[in-house]
Structures are given as C-alpha cells and as structure tokens.
Amino acid sequence: MKKIVSSFPLLSTIWVSMANALAITTFNILAPVHRSMPNQPDPDLNRRESERQEWWRPRAEGVAEYIAEKFASSDVILLQEWWFDESFTRIFDEAIGDKFERVAERRPGSVVGQDRDDGMCCLVRKQGLLELVKSDKVLTGPQRIAQIIQCRERLPNNGAGGRNVFIANSHLSFPGDKDPTINNERQKKEAGIILDALTNARNEWDKTSSSTASCLEIVCGDFNSNSCSSAAALVEDN
C-alpha cells in the first residue's frame, strides 16, 4: 500500500488511513537563529532572537509545553527549523522526552564540512503505533534538506506483519524571487527530490529485508506554498 499525504500550513495534524490510523503532526517552530526581533532601536542591526536567552527561552518553553499538552497522542511529530543549541534541546527533552524519542538532522552550511545550527527534527511517541528505525537526510537545494525517517508499525500483542512506514519531513524553500514561476519551479524540483528519496529508501529496504509487509509513504512539512502550487500538484499526482 502506498499513500502520500502532504501538508501545507505551518501547523497541522493528519490522520492517515482509518484502519490502523496514524496521527502525524507537522509544525514549523521558527528557529531562534532565524527569528528577527521586532521593535529594535536600530532596525538595521537585524537582531536575532537567539542572541539572548531571555529572548528565546520563554517562546521555546511555550512551544515545548504546547506540544506536550496538545500533541501527546500524536504518533509522530515533525518539526521544521529545529535549533541544535544544547539549552534549547534540553527544554524540549524535559517537556516531552519521557513520551517521545527524538532524532534530528542538521542543515549543511555554506562551507563544506560545516553544518548550520538548525535543521529538521522528528519525534516518535514511545508508546505509539510506530517504532523508530532510522533517520537520514537528503539535500534538496543549497543548504536545504529533507529528513527521511523510517519506522516500523507496531501491531497489537506484538503481532508480525506491521507496515514499514517511510516519512519525509519537508521544508521547501521560501518563495523569495519576484517571479512566481521561478519560485514554483524551484519548489517543484525540491518536492521531486523528496519523492525520489522516499522511493530510494523503500527500494533499499526491499533489497536488504526479507519482510513481506506492505509499505506506507508519507510526505509532510512546511511547503511555503498552498495546495495549488506546482510542488503540491507533483506530490498529489504521485
């Protein structure tokens, strides 16, 4: 079985399939290294929230508490713009670490071998319907990635035959060009790379596994566009 579900808002929860339903939440949490601080005396300074702990900590604690309260029943939570700062990470681990297993992938920097301070993060509920197998990343553009997560479905009473679930945590590029056609084509290309990465992950699993269980493929994340975009159409057509 193959089913692809795409999500475009910054925050969304999806239930996949009525039988053995999975609850999957996607959430762009806006990394403090990217969030500009408003109302600064000198707007040319372009101060970032990450510069001061008293700026970023209250919002980080609020986001972590919100996830713990509102999405505790989600089987998977996909976060875009995850910040790898140790204090930031600790806030989330303290709020949800007892319920969720965390795996994250950094974005590459402009210099080869040097990663950026942000990336993608996947939370898999420890007592949920999925067991985390592994996480990889695929380069979708300059300093942009998608996170490809493989999970295995848990069946009641430790039954065999659970589906292999491949999930793409996606963050397509911001439509910053004045020409919307250029934006659409760039995002469509990124979506195509993500679909190919999912297919490759599934094929690689098929080569190395003797399991006959069916597979489920899911695309989620922040598309920086709406359901009428070329990227969305490509995902839905596939």
Side-chain angles (χ1 to χ4, degrees):
M1 174 182 174
K2 178 178 178 181
K3 184 169 184 177
I4 297 178
V5 176
S6 55
S7 178
F8 310 100
L10 293 184
L11 171 60
S12 181
T13 300
I14 303 165
W15 284 265
V16 181
S17 178
M18 293 305 293
N20 302 326
L22 302 175
I24 299 175
T25 297
T26 175
F27 190 2
N28 186 326
I29 60 175
L30 184 53
V33 290
H34 298 310
R35 185 170 188 251
S36 297
M37 294 301 295
N39 303 321
Q40 293 300 311
D42 185 354
D44 293 332
L45 291 177
N46 194 22
R47 305 293 295 275
R48 299 293 179 173
E49 187 182 61
S50 57
E51 293 180 30
R52 296 184 182 179
Q53 190 169 118
E54 61 266 29
W55 287 352
W56 64 259
R57 177 174 283 274
R59 187 171 69 89
E61 291 174 341
V63 170
E65 291 171 4
Y66 185 81
I67 291 174
E69 293 175 5
K70 300 295 184 180
F71 305 122
S73 62
S74 291
D75 294 294
V76 174
I77 300 174
L78 303 171
L79 303 177
Q80 300 88 46
E81 296 200 23
W82 176 260
W83 191 29
F84 283 83
D85 177 85
E86 290 185 6
S87 297
F88 180 89
T89 299
R90 192 177 305 116
I91 288 172
F92 283 81
D93 285 346
E94 291 174 354
I96 56 180
D98 60 330
K99 296 183 177 68
F100 289 91
E101 187 172 359
R102 172 175 54 82
V103 60
E105 304 286 350
R106 284 180 181 263
R107 289 204 292 158
S110 57
V111 178
V112 176
Q114 294 184 6
D115 289 336
R116 296 183 58 146
D117 293 332
D118 69 305
M120 315 285 273
C121 179
C122 174
L123 307 172
V124 180
R125 185 157 60 95
K126 294 179 180 179
Q127 301 301 318
L129 297 178
L130 295 178
E131 175 187 1
L132 177 64
V133 176
K134 67 175 183 176
S135 168
D136 290 308
K137 63 183 175 184
V138 58
L139 190 67
T140 59
Q143 301 181 56
R144 302 201 71 85
I145 63 168
Q147 183 181 18
I148 307 298
I149 307 108
Q150 180 182 350
C151 296
R152 186 177 297 111
E153 187 177 29
R154 292 191 180 102
L155 295 182
N157 303 316
N158 295 318
R163 293 172 294 181
N164 295 300
V165 181
F166 297 88
I167 306 171
N169 184 7
S170 313
H171 189 190
L172 302 188
S173 57
F174 183 78
D177 198 279
K178 295 180 180 179
D179 186 346
T181 300
I182 293 177
N183 295 325
N184 274 326
E185 289 304 311
R186 182 171 59 246
Q187 291 179 342
K188 181 180 179 180
K189 179 180 179 181
E190 294 166 357
I193 293 171
I194 292 168
L195 292 174
D196 288 343
L198 272 182
T199 299
N200 292 338
R202 185 199 65 215
N203 290 341
E204 186 65 29
W205 172 253
D206 289 341
K207 290 178 184 177
T208 58
S209 173
S210 59
S211 173
T212 58
S214 60
C215 291
L216 177 65
E217 297 177 13
I218 303 167
V219 178
C220 289
D222 180 3
F223 274 39
N224 266 315
S225 58
N226 58 40
S227 59
C228 298
S229 69
S230 299
L234 179 65
V235 172
E236 291 169 353
D237 289 344
N238 283 271

